[in-house]
Amino acid sequence: MTAPDTRTPEEKAKSKRKHAQVMLVIGYITVACGAAAAFLAWSREGRVPKAMSFLRSAGAPAASLELPSGPRSAKDRVSWRPWGEAAFDEAERAGRLILLDVCPPWSHGCHVMDETTYARPEVVAWIAENVVPVRADPQASAEIAYRFKAPVWPVTALLLPTGEEISRGSLVAPSQFLGWARAVAAAFRRNPSSLKAAAEASQQKIEAERASLLAATAVDRGGLEDSVALLASQYDSARGGFGRAWKLPVSAAHDLLLRLREAEEKRCLWRSRWKQDALPIGVMYDGTLRAWRALEDPVDGGFFRASNSPDWRSPEYEKTLLAQAAAVRDFAAHRALTKDEASARVAERAISFADRRLRERDGVYASGLDADLRTPENGWLAGKKYYTKTRQARQSLGVPLAVGGRPTAANAQFAEAMIEAGVRLLRPALVQKGVSLLEKIEANALLPDGAVLRMIPEPGAKSAGAADAGALADQAAFAKAEVAAFSATKNLKRLHGAKAALRYAFGRLREPGGALLAYAPHASSRRGWFVPVDPDGTVDMLYPFTDALVRNKMGDDGAAIDALDAWAATHRSAIDPVRFARTYVVRAETVECD
């Protein structure tokens, strides 16, 4: 006989939410594994399986490709179109699929694809005759950044003319590309209506699942142990960091660990409730930072973006501004916690690198240093070869270019990192340096209505205007940096920009009748997109305003914070648990500190 269920309604609801989160994770893993298997089947057998998968995660496995040196003929080039309505209209008129290449300008993987797969005459010819090729920079487009999130670049995807994604990979070797692309294109030509019907059914299913997740639940701000247990399950205790394959800084996880580590130092009362078998916070925090130092360039300074091996020893050689911001913030915090002067020097070296290699004449920073060196003959020297050379050898060759434009969010995060580092390292000049960068952002990228531009315009250049402004990620990054400046200086003027960014987000990005925010003001479902709301981004927008002192200074804008707060508190199942814990749980459970 089955024992009666004696749980309270609240306990049952909590159990259901936890089960939903676990099933979502299992679903993502299943989709990714199924995608990889499908790609292998296509590339080996030259056909598409009967059941097409409409994927939202990485499908094709990354091929092991090397970047060739030396120039190549200018005629062997793909004629890429920009992401936009014109490309989709062209695909619909011609009855062709979209070949999408999502590619930041500094990415080594993108250079490899250009110089190998997309340099093959037979590939170039097939693309010209059978698909509409589209290239997009995720830094420049909020839609691309939100829709095609990936830890590794490029994203190589095939979409229906109406925008639904059929399959996605990353580095695709020439020997694999044509078999895969031909098979998918042939299936589309044979029966486009069935693929469109499958896409619509998939969209409807995803929308239904999203609606279920977004249904209001009982207020529940507990679960610190659950969130930390989730982090611990992903922690690599042998090599440090999170994940078992790629390694890169995970901002939300680092933020949560830092706040917990600081609370631990204050002997907060929640520590007595800690699970006996839990992995200590200090082990994860200190172990991650210790391992991460392997990605610092010992010759010229600066941190590489990521490692494509679990031991941190196989860098992706691009040095992005975001990577430097993360290093400055985390290593300065580590110095404040541990009094380890070596950590302070790491943070200072990251700032020095950004100033030497990424800072432009007007004081704004470029997105990143190219992973590879462009040679005088218009060829490439791969970063793997360049960065293993001595200082003298590098000087004789030159320095990779700073590329990728001037992303507002990355500059805001770097400004915030310098401000927080200045506070923790007791360097007032560093605080002022971060504030000065924020003032440049406010002067050049904050529009009168509070919208934040995606990219900071070059001096004298005409801004893209409102058509390229107001993305939720940019609003949140700018607001968070402004709040950090206020916390450091107690200058109320610094809250003006934060208020403007919040006011715009709540007024222009909010779904009708609620508080959930969209990822961008022009979010549309016309091109294979669905329910363009962003629960995690909504919490990121709220996060800077959860500090009690900041909240008390917000005046009439406090109503927007309260609405966002109420929405997030009653929709926990829709939010990444680490982000939720970072925003709420630590605040709720560390109030009793010495």
Side-chain angles (χ1 to χ4, degrees):
M1 178 181 292
T2 303
D5 189 345
T6 59
R7 295 176 299 173
T8 65
E10 290 78 10
E11 290 171 333
K12 291 179 182 179
K14 185 175 181 179
S15 175
K16 286 183 178 180
R17 289 195 299 277
K18 183 181 290 187
H19 175 72
Q21 290 175 347
V22 170
M23 293 307 294
L24 277 174
V25 172
I26 292 173
Y28 292 148
I29 294 172
T30 302
V31 168
C33 294
F39 177 82
L40 291 173
W42 299 346
S43 61
R44 283 200 297 264
E45 301 175 19
R47 61 184 177 84
V48 180
K50 291 181 180 179
M52 294 294 295
S53 296
F54 291 83
L55 310 176
R56 301 292 172 192
S57 60
S64 178
L65 296 174
E66 295 290 336
L67 180 63
S69 58
R72 66 179 173 88
S73 172
K75 69 179 181 180
D76 297 328
R77 302 282 178 177
V78 175
S79 179
W80 296 104
R81 281 69 153 174
W83 174 271
E85 293 299 318
F88 284 104
D89 290 342
E90 179 185 350
E92 286 184 315
R93 287 194 304 270
R96 295 182 178 184
L97 296 175
I98 293 278
L99 170 66
L100 177 64
D101 181 58
V102 181
C103 215
W106 35 252
S107 167
H108 169 73
C110 295
H111 301 332
V112 169
M113 285 288 286
D114 273 344
E115 304 301 323
T116 57
T117 301
Y118 296 140
R120 292 287 185 90
E122 65 273 23
V123 172
V124 174
W126 186 88
I127 289 173
E129 295 170 4
N130 294 276
V131 294
V132 175
V134 173
R135 173 165 283 178
D137 179 358
Q139 302 173 117
S141 167
E143 180 178 3
I144 292 294
Y146 185 58
R147 182 174 174 182
F148 298 98
K149 293 176 182 177
V152 55
W153 306 107
V155 168
T156 306
L158 284 167
L159 316 180
L160 293 177
T162 45
E164 293 84 1
E165 185 179 332
I166 301 175
S167 179
R168 182 194 301 195
S170 182
L171 285 173
V172 186
S175 59
Q176 296 173 311
F177 181 88
L178 284 179
W180 165 61
R182 281 171 174 160
V184 180
F188 173 69
R189 284 194 298 270
R190 282 196 304 269
N191 199 348
S193 60
S194 66
L195 294 185
K196 290 179 180 179
E200 290 174 1
S202 177
Q203 296 257 88
Q204 291 170 1
K205 182 178 179 181
I206 292 170
E207 287 176 5
E209 291 172 353
R210 177 70 69 94
S212 176
L213 275 178
L214 297 184
T217 57
V219 175
D220 176 8
R221 294 187 179 180
L224 174 60
E225 294 88 350
D226 291 342
S227 295
V228 176
L230 176 64
L231 275 183
S233 70
Q234 296 297 315
Y235 181 72
D236 185 343
S237 57
R239 291 160 294 203
F242 297 93
R244 299 294 186 265
W246 279 72
K247 290 293 175 61
L248 70 165
V250 183
S251 294
H254 289 203
D255 238 3
L256 175 59
L257 287 178
L258 171 60
R259 294 186 67 174
L260 288 170
R261 186 81 165 80
E262 290 174 333
E264 201 171 48
E265 289 295 312
K266 296 177 183 177
R267 300 171 182 262
C268 290
L269 295 182
W270 59 260
R271 194 177 180 187
S272 64
R273 304 204 306 271
W274 202 253
K275 291 183 178 179
Q276 294 297 314
D277 58 347
L279 192 63
I281 294 298
V283 169
M284 290 190 284
Y285 182 72
D286 298 343
T288 295
L289 266 64
R290 186 168 52 249
W292 185 11
R293 289 186 61 175
L295 290 183
E296 186 182 17
D297 179 0
V299 175
D300 194 41
F303 276 76
F304 301 119
R305 185 179 65 87
S307 170
N308 58 35
S309 67
D311 62 0
W312 298 85
R313 300 290 176 180
S314 301
E316 291 290 293
Y317 286 100
E318 47 265 358
K319 296 181 184 179
T320 63
L321 183 60
L322 284 176
Q324 312 319 309
V328 171
R329 178 194 63 224
D330 287 355
F331 283 100
H334 191 254
R335 159 61 182 84
L337 283 168
T338 65
K339 311 306 179 187
D340 177 16
E341 290 300 328
S343 290
R345 290 192 292 272
V346 172
E348 290 166 349
R349 288 197 298 270
I351 295 171
S352 174
F353 165 80
D355 284 344
R356 285 183 291 109
R357 301 300 189 200
L358 300 178
R359 191 171 186 266
E360 300 186 349
R361 291 181 181 180
D362 62 345
V364 174
Y365 293 80
S367 171
L369 204 66
D370 208 324
D372 309 298
L373 178 69
R374 176 69 78 176
T375 66
E377 299 80 17
N378 204 34
W380 289 103
L381 178 63
K384 185 176 182 180
K385 296 178 180 178
Y386 175 83
Y387 283 108
T388 54
K389 294 183 181 295
T390 64
R391 183 185 303 274
Q392 185 176 3
R394 290 193 202 178
Q395 289 174 345
S396 67
L397 292 167
V399 180
L401 295 175
V403 294
R406 298 140 50 105
T408 302
N411 272 272
Q413 289 183 45
F414 191 64
E416 178 193 357
M418 288 194 290
I419 291 167
E420 292 186 350
V423 171
R424 289 182 167 122
L425 301 179
L426 304 179
R427 311 279 171 81
L430 198 51
V431 173
Q432 184 52 47
K433 187 174 182 177
V435 170
S436 177
L437 176 56
L438 268 180
E439 290 172 344
K440 290 181 173 63
I441 296 172
E442 187 169 347
N444 295 285
L446 182 66
L447 300 182
D449 63 354
V452 176
L453 289 174
R454 186 83 180 159
M455 306 290 278
I456 302 172
E458 299 281 350
K462 186 177 180 180
S463 166
D468 190 30
L472 181 56
D474 301 325
Q475 302 295 126
F478 177 69
K480 189 167 181 283
E482 287 279 71
V483 168
F486 164 74
S487 298
T489 65
K490 301 301 182 287
N491 184 347
L492 285 173
K493 182 181 178 182
R494 297 271 48 95
L495 284 183
H496 292 171
K499 289 181 177 182
L502 171 68
R503 204 172 296 133
Y504 180 91
F506 195 72
R508 295 288 301 278
L509 304 183
R510 182 165 46 112
E511 66 173 348
L516 178 60
L517 306 179
Y519 74 90
H522 307 291
S524 168
S525 60
R526 179 177 173 222
R527 294 296 183 184
W529 198 222
F530 58 95
V531 194
V533 291
D534 186 358
D536 292 342
T538 300
V539 172
D540 287 345
M541 189 71 232
L542 172 65
Y543 178 47
F545 301 104
T546 55
D547 179 86
L549 176 61
V550 174
R551 172 64 184 81
N552 290 337
K553 298 292 185 182
M554 293 302 290
D556 292 342
D557 295 298
I561 299 171
D562 292 341
L564 294 173
D565 191 20
W567 178 87
T570 55
H571 292 79
R572 182 179 174 186
S573 60
I575 302 166
D576 169 68
V578 173
R579 276 185 165 93
F580 188 92
R582 179 188 67 172
T583 304
Y584 289 109
V585 180
V586 177
R587 180 182 66 182
E589 300 205 15
T590 59
V591 293
E592 304 280 354
C593 287
D594 294 339

